[in-house]
Amino acid sequence: MYIGVFDSGYGGLTILKEFLRYLPEYDYIYLGDNARAPYGTRSFETVYQYTLQAVRKLFDLGAQLVILACNTASAKALRTIQQKDLPRLDASRRVLGVIRPSAEVIGQYTRSGKVGIFATPGTVSSRSYELEINKLYPDIEVFQQSCPMWVPLVENDEHLGDGADYFVSKYIDALLSQSEEIDTIILACTHYPLLLPKIKKYLPKKIRVISQGPIVAQSLKDYLTRHPEIENKLSKNKKRIFLTTDVPEDFDKKAKKFVDNIIEIHSQKISLI
Ligand code: DGL
């Protein structure tokens, strides 16, 4: 059976890329709901319904385990799917997200105990990072900044252009104005690692920026070691299947930049409704 990786569109490829680096032996199905992206500005109910449709589809296609490689879906849909839907869909399968693994490592990084989060408006308003981090580290103070223009910049291939500088420095200033002591920032949206060159240009050098890909991959590796009942069901033929709800030719072309051109991508179209 497969490891399913779900994202609203392309962003989850930055997570998949690291899965393929840390756990290359497994078979993967990636599903991008490009036709309905972005999710970041959608309501709780809509993100939940869309994500549930995707999880069902990935289960139907043979995923034993689905990773919601989208912060917005993890923030707005994961808990309900785990608690309400999974028991009736198939209690032997698993759905995991990207927020918990990111929250778990944050204590290793911050010295000041002040952490910043850049995320979509949906993730910020859910306050999931604050809640997850404070469950594990009650003394860490979390400051959030929503960055509604960053996903469109990446999607429109303007993330390294001159126009990006305005919105990158604007959101950095807005976050840092909340506390001068922030020493660690999580890029809590799977699109944002593509903006790293610009983010590093405007962020003081002493602040550490964390991309989620390697953290989530390491966490999945640990999870599979701790759960042989899941790991034993996973096939290991290095199969990679890419599905999109929009135009496959567009997906293949745009997807390249999210995986640094190192993964061959030939997607197929799929419908979730
Ligand atoms: N991939 C989503 C995330 O990590 C951002 C893109 C979107 O808004 O759909 O939050």
Side-chain angles (χ1 to χ4, degrees), residues 167-198:
F167 284 109
V168 169
S169 61
K170 176 178 169 147
Y171 298 146
I172 286 177
D173 290 349
L175 178 66
L176 298 185
S177 72
Q178 297 180 48
S179 167
E180 285 176 3
E181 290 177 75
I182 292 172
D183 67 350
T184 309
I185 292 177
I186 303 179
L187 300 184
C189 168
T190 49
H191 276 65
Y192 297 174
L194 277 83
L195 282 154
L196 256 179
K198 293 281 184 198

Side-chain angles (χ1 to χ4, degrees), residues 130-170:
E130 213 177 319
L131 297 170
E132 285 297 334
I133 291 172
N134 285 149
K135 254 189 243 164
L136 301 165
Y137 308 103
D139 296 336
I140 291 181
E141 214 176 329
V142 179
F143 300 89
Q144 305 193 91
Q145 178 60 42
S146 77
C147 310
M149 290 304 290
W150 284 7
V151 168
L153 283 170
V154 174
E155 291 278 324
N156 291 293
D157 237 340
E158 289 292 343
H159 52 294
L160 300 177
D162 294 342
D165 288 63
Y166 174 79
F167 284 109
V168 169
S169 61
K170 176 178 169 147

Side-chain angles (χ1 to χ4, degrees), residues 235-253:
S235 47
K236 301 176 185 77
N237 302 305
K238 297 192 172 183
K239 262 203 203 167
R240 283 86 173 95
I241 296 174
F242 293 91
L243 304 171
T244 174
T245 54
D246 212 344
V247 180
E249 293 73 27
D250 292 348
F251 184 89
D252 298 352
K253 225 184 292 158

